[in-house]
Amino acid sequence: MSTDIRKVLSELYPCRSDFIGKLCDLLLESLPHVLYVYGHSGTGKTVILRDLLRLMGKNTNFKTSYVNCIECYSTKVLLENILNDLCSIEGVNINCENVNQFTEFLKCFYTKPTHTSLIMVLDQAERLRDMDGNVLPSLMRLQELTGLNVCAVLVGQISFEKYYVANGLPELVTLNCGQYTKCEILHILSNHFDAARNNLKDYIIQHQLDKNDMQEKLHIVENITIEFFNNYLNIFLYVFHKACRDLPELKNTADVCFISYMKPVLSREVDIMDAQKLWRSITPTLRTALTQIYMRYDNPYELKCSSDNEIQKIARSFELPFYGKYLLIAAFLASHNSANADKRLFVKHHGKKRKRLQDVNAKAKVFEKTSAAIGPKTFTIDRLLAIFYAILDEKVGLTCNLLSQISTLVQLKLLSFVSNENNIMDGSARLQCTVGLEFVVFIGNVVGFNIRQYLCDFM
């Protein structure tokens, strides 16, 4: 059974065979009392676990339950949802108020000796820290409390050190689901070739009135090869890999941009083999998509540049706090300015700088060398806070509330971690800003800050 499940899951989720193998070894063979699976969003943790539970549920030796801790907003709702999956009885409404009733109910339901293994998966497990203080320790000690062969699988995005409380927690097994590499993302997206070609056909059928012309364009689409699609993906990832590694978002954006990539070919303006002209035609679209990477589009077949009113509407919908706005501005400046220019930009008495021919030539920027074309750079928390205090007129202390607003910006996808997410306080974590210039300009206008005055591209 274990071999069959591994084979099925490995075919469904390429480049995840190592993670699937370790997960099957733990849940199908050893079954620890608690397992913590963690990793960034979009790495496949939840979807692989849900499919694994579905396949395990076909075997009578396993009883499984999956709950999302965001949907289960209270201890009562959480425990009752788990019991409904593990101890379901037709016509009986289960009422469970606390952890004591939960453990007693499990012991009463499984009184007879049984070989059944109970597995409960709790997604978004970070929310357990906000529930009653005894919920998380009790779930981690269910084997000891009930005497049953039960395993609690916690799924989260942060390291388990952030769960520890004053009373301590039992030891557990951890399993990391790492981010996809560029080669792995390219391999996965290339498997999406048939779906991308079908999306292009649907776009042609919906937007073409002349049947003869439509048939010719459909014929062009049929002749698209996997090598041509892989060349497009290489261009796409060259732009997007540094800004985003969330696979679902990359899939969605790649599909939309591929339609724009093929438009000059379909209109016969560019030959399908002319890679240089295709790159020039797709550059404005990729630049626009880079500022909308985590946003959904009204038209799934077309990416259009947002107007100023639309950008202002999106920016206004976030309702960021006052210091949160300044932190976002500081993050944008850190992502789009060189660290060498910080002293000249943010220190009043930075001294005089001699003009050299090298500096004069450097200022004569070509557009392809500007930060708008290259994309956002990474920065550290220390540099972010230094710029924040430099642009803020008033004095404010470094408090937990101020640091928590950085986490809020990350959750809103306005900032993203690039490396060392678990080491924020030691200064080794690196982030980058994911929003565009128009978005930050509007935020700056709200607080009365001229952001163009502090951007090297406008000097």
Side-chain angles (χ1 to χ4, degrees), residues 238-254:
Y238 173 77
V239 176
F240 281 87
H241 185 252
K242 289 183 179 180
C244 175
R245 297 186 186 182
D246 191 315
L247 188 59
E249 296 294 338
L250 289 174
K251 272 186 179 179
N252 179 64
T253 309

Side-chain angles (χ1 to χ4, degrees), residues 271-372:
D271 185 73
I272 195 170
M273 302 303 294
D274 194 340
Q276 190 173 7
K277 287 186 178 179
L278 284 173
W279 162 249
R280 289 175 182 171
S281 66
I282 194 63
T283 300
T285 303
L286 295 179
R287 195 182 308 129
T288 302
L290 195 61
T291 63
Q292 303 175 13
I293 183 66
Y294 288 105
M295 302 177 189
R296 289 291 180 255
Y297 317 104
D298 295 334
N299 186 351
Y301 297 113
E302 188 172 1
L303 181 69
K304 60 180 180 180
C305 297
S306 299
S307 65
D308 291 342
N309 291 332
E310 289 175 340
I311 293 173
Q312 291 179 13
K313 184 179 178 181
I314 294 170
R316 196 179 295 112
S317 67
F318 281 102
E319 297 182 354
L320 296 173
F322 180 75
Y323 294 139
K325 292 184 175 72
Y326 270 98
L327 282 170
L328 182 60
I329 293 171
F332 185 85
L333 293 174
S335 271
H336 292 80
N337 286 331
S338 171
N340 298 329
D342 285 352
K343 183 178 179 181
R344 180 167 57 91
L345 290 170
F346 305 112
V347 178
K348 291 183 179 179
H349 306 289
H350 55 78
K352 293 184 178 179
K353 186 179 180 182
R354 291 183 179 180
K355 281 190 175 181
R356 296 183 301 172
L357 183 61
Q358 182 180 357
D359 297 333
V360 174
N361 292 334
K363 284 188 176 181
K365 289 186 173 68
V366 182
F367 175 74
E368 282 75 11
K369 294 182 179 180
T370 61
S371 62

Side-chain angles (χ1 to χ4, degrees), residues 149-163:
N149 194 23
V150 58
C151 173
V153 181
L154 309 177
V155 184
Q157 297 185 27
I158 60 177
S159 62
F160 196 75
E161 284 77 8
K162 297 182 180 180
Y163 287 79

Side-chain angles (χ1 to χ4, degrees), residues 129-411:
R129 299 177 296 173
D130 302 327
M131 295 187 181
D132 296 340
N134 64 338
V135 173
L136 181 58
S138 299
L139 289 174
M140 296 179 66
R141 297 175 54 221
L142 273 180
Q143 277 194 8
E144 178 185 342
L145 296 174
T146 61
L148 300 172
N149 194 23
V150 58
C151 173
V153 181
L154 309 177
V155 184
Q157 297 185 27
I158 60 177
S159 62
F160 196 75
E161 284 77 8
K162 297 182 180 180
Y163 287 79
Y164 283 114
V165 294
N167 297 331
L169 291 171
E171 293 293 328
L172 80 165
V173 179
T174 60
L175 180 59
N176 180 35
C177 187
Q179 284 188 315
Y180 291 103
T181 64
K182 186 176 180 179
C183 292
E184 290 174 342
I185 293 174
L186 180 63
H187 174 69
I188 294 170
L189 292 181
S190 64
N191 292 339
H192 201 57
F193 169 61
D194 291 333
R197 193 162 57 175
N198 291 333
N199 287 338
L200 188 57
K201 290 179 181 178
D202 293 340
Y203 170 79
I204 293 171
I205 293 171
Q206 290 187 18
H207 294 78
Q208 199 68 34
L209 298 177
D210 188 353
K211 290 186 177 180
N212 294 328
D213 193 29
M214 183 178 69
Q215 292 297 329
E216 292 180 7
K217 291 183 177 181
L218 290 175
H219 180 70
I220 294 174
V221 175
E222 284 292 339
N223 291 332
I224 296 175
T225 62
I226 187 67
E227 289 79 12
F228 176 82
F229 187 66
N230 284 337
N231 289 336
Y232 158 73
L233 291 178
N234 279 315
I235 294 172
F236 175 80
L237 291 178
Y238 173 77
V239 176
F240 281 87
H241 185 252
K242 289 183 179 180
C244 175
R245 297 186 186 182
D246 191 315
L247 188 59
E249 296 294 338
L250 289 174
K251 272 186 179 179
N252 179 64
T253 309
D255 285 346
V256 177
C257 292
F258 184 60
I259 294 174
S260 299
Y261 188 71
M262 286 298 300
K263 280 182 180 179
V265 177
L266 297 175
S267 60
R268 299 173 185 82
E269 296 174 5
V270 178
D271 185 73
I272 195 170
M273 302 303 294
D274 194 340
Q276 190 173 7
K277 287 186 178 179
L278 284 173
W279 162 249
R280 289 175 182 171
S281 66
I282 194 63
T283 300
T285 303
L286 295 179
R287 195 182 308 129
T288 302
L290 195 61
T291 63
Q292 303 175 13
I293 183 66
Y294 288 105
M295 302 177 189
R296 289 291 180 255
Y297 317 104
D298 295 334
N299 186 351
Y301 297 113
E302 188 172 1
L303 181 69
K304 60 180 180 180
C305 297
S306 299
S307 65
D308 291 342
N309 291 332
E310 289 175 340
I311 293 173
Q312 291 179 13
K313 184 179 178 181
I314 294 170
R316 196 179 295 112
S317 67
F318 281 102
E319 297 182 354
L320 296 173
F322 180 75
Y323 294 139
K325 292 184 175 72
Y326 270 98
L327 282 170
L328 182 60
I329 293 171
F332 185 85
L333 293 174
S335 271
H336 292 80
N337 286 331
S338 171
N340 298 329
D342 285 352
K343 183 178 179 181
R344 180 167 57 91
L345 290 170
F346 305 112
V347 178
K348 291 183 179 179
H349 306 289
H350 55 78
K352 293 184 178 179
K353 186 179 180 182
R354 291 183 179 180
K355 281 190 175 181
R356 296 183 301 172
L357 183 61
Q358 182 180 357
D359 297 333
V360 174
N361 292 334
K363 284 188 176 181
K365 289 186 173 68
V366 182
F367 175 74
E368 282 75 11
K369 294 182 179 180
T370 61
S371 62
I374 296 173
K377 306 178 187 69
T378 62
F379 56 88
T380 61
I381 297 287
D382 291 341
R383 185 171 173 231
L384 170 65
L385 293 174
I387 297 175
F388 169 76
Y389 282 113
I391 64 177
L392 191 64
D393 293 333
E394 60 185 84
K395 292 184 178 181
V396 58
L398 183 60
T399 62
C400 294
N401 290 333
L402 185 63
L403 292 174
S404 67
Q405 292 189 30
I406 299 176
S407 300
T408 302
L409 294 175
V410 173
Q411 290 177 356

